[in-house]
Structure formats: structure tokens, C-alpha cells
Amino acid sequence: MITIGEAIPSHACMYANAHALARYAALCQEAGIVPIVEPEVLMDGDHTIERCAEVTDAVLEAVFAQLFAHRVYLEGMVLKPNMVIAGKKAANRAGPQQVADATLRCLRRHVPSAVPGIAFLSGGQSEAEATAHLSLMNQAPDLPWALTFSYGRALQESALKAWAGKAESLGAGQKAFLHRARLNGLAQRGKYTASLEAA
């Protein structure tokens, strides 16, 4: 995980993370396992979307340089990155289309088309934000990779809240989880709209 701050991340930090990810990926493939390469730039802090783009550019450049150096078979891996988004404490949060555009611009610059799939982290986004951003990206033409989700909080938060650990609320939790999964499934096809949240 990479944190954005006034003087961080350093080049040494990005290199060390990239080297570790590539070594892990190479070992996975040597053992016949598909590696999930997860170079996450955190959205903690007050950085702008432009600063996130700058850091994510540098991180992905370092990661793919190391993947090439370690002879990782790109067709046999999954990339699990962050979206390019302003920090949680940023004074001006970027809108959904700006996030989608900035993320795709970054990916197109650094992720070879040989990579078959990109499974996004939600990274602290709300459920609706993460779903909307994914859907907008999947509406873009001529994407060389499949874009999907590998969300934690943005898939489970409403389900956990509805369930609240109570046996009598198990059905409500399952219903909330199914609803969220369906919305993310629609986003994967670029067919999500905010109006579906209340459906």
C-alpha cells in the first residue's frame, strides 16, 4: 500500500513495493497460480485527484517495469489497483466522470493490453461512489481489458449494517448484499444508474 503525503511516496518506496509484487507474481506463476497484483495507492489524506494521478502513474510504471524484469506472463495475471481519486479529506472532491476519466487515462498509459483483467479496489469509497465510477469506466469505448470489481467495504457495508450480527436480521443482510452485488454486476457492464440504488 502506498500513502500520499507531502514528501511521500519516495522512489525507493515505490521500487521496493514494485519489486515485491513482481517477485510474488513470478513465484505464483512458477507454482501454477494466477497472481493478483495489487499496487494500491491509498485515498487517505487531503491530496487532489491530480496528485493521486501523478503517484498512481509512477507506481504503475514501476510495477510493470518490475513485472517485465521478472518475466511475469502478463496474460496470466490480474491487476488489482486503486481508482484515481482525491483524498478523503480533500477540500474539492472530484466528480464521478472526472474519476473515471483520470483512472482510464492512467491505465491506458501504463497497463499493457496483454493484461486480461483489472479488478478495482474500492479503497474507502462509498458503495455508490465505487459502483458509479466502475460503470462510467465500462461505458468507455475500446477498452483493452475487462474491468471489474474486487470490493470489500463497497460490497459489504450495507449488508453488514442490515445484518448487525443478529440472527433475526440475517435475511435483511443477505438481501442488502444481493442488491449491492447486482448493482456492481450492472456497473461491470456499464449499465448502472444512481436511480437503481433505491430499487
Side-chain angles (χ1 to χ4, degrees):
M1 288 187 249
I2 302 289
T3 301
I4 298 176
E6 191 173 330
I8 57 173
S10 66
H11 289 290
C13 168
M14 290 187 284
Y15 172 82
N17 274 272
H19 183 271
L21 287 170
R23 184 72 184 128
Y24 152 79
L27 288 169
C28 283
Q29 290 186 345
E30 189 178 305
I33 301 168
V34 174
I36 298 174
V37 179
E38 188 173 333
E40 181 181 14
V41 176
L42 300 174
M43 63 181 288
D44 299 337
D46 60 359
H47 55 271
T48 63
I49 190 172
E50 291 80 12
R51 175 67 174 140
C52 182
E54 178 187 335
V55 172
T56 304
D57 275 339
V59 166
L60 288 176
E61 183 176 346
V63 166
F64 278 95
Q66 287 299 308
L67 290 171
F68 285 124
H70 284 79
R71 299 184 179 183
V72 171
Y73 178 62
L74 299 184
E75 289 86 344
M77 62 164 276
V78 174
L79 183 68
K80 187 176 174 183
N82 56 284
M83 295 181 192
V84 176
I85 193 166
K88 286 188 236 181
K89 298 177 184 174
N92 296 310
R93 296 294 306 279
Q97 191 64 59
Q98 190 180 0
V99 171
D101 291 346
T103 303
L104 286 177
R105 188 165 46 250
C106 183
L107 295 174
R108 284 188 164 120
R109 285 176 181 158
H110 301 288
V111 181
S113 59
V115 174
I118 298 173
F120 286 103
L121 293 153
S122 53
Q125 299 176 67
S126 72
E127 291 176 329
E129 281 179 324
T131 306
H133 294 152
L134 177 62
S135 190
L136 286 168
M137 282 187 269
N138 274 308
Q139 290 169 19
D142 304 320
L143 294 173
W145 341 265
L147 302 183
T148 188
F149 59 95
S150 181
Y151 297 161
R153 183 186 311 171
L155 183 60
Q156 303 167 13
E157 188 172 33
S158 59
L160 290 171
K161 192 173 185 181
W163 170 49
K166 300 174 184 173
E168 64 271 19
S169 301
L170 181 60
Q174 290 172 328
K175 186 176 178 183
F177 186 80
L178 180 59
H179 177 64
R180 190 82 249 148
R182 282 179 173 154
L183 294 182
N184 282 308
L186 288 169
Q188 186 179 325
R189 300 193 304 275
K191 298 184 180 301
Y192 165 86
T193 61
S195 62
L196 296 169
E197 289 290 339

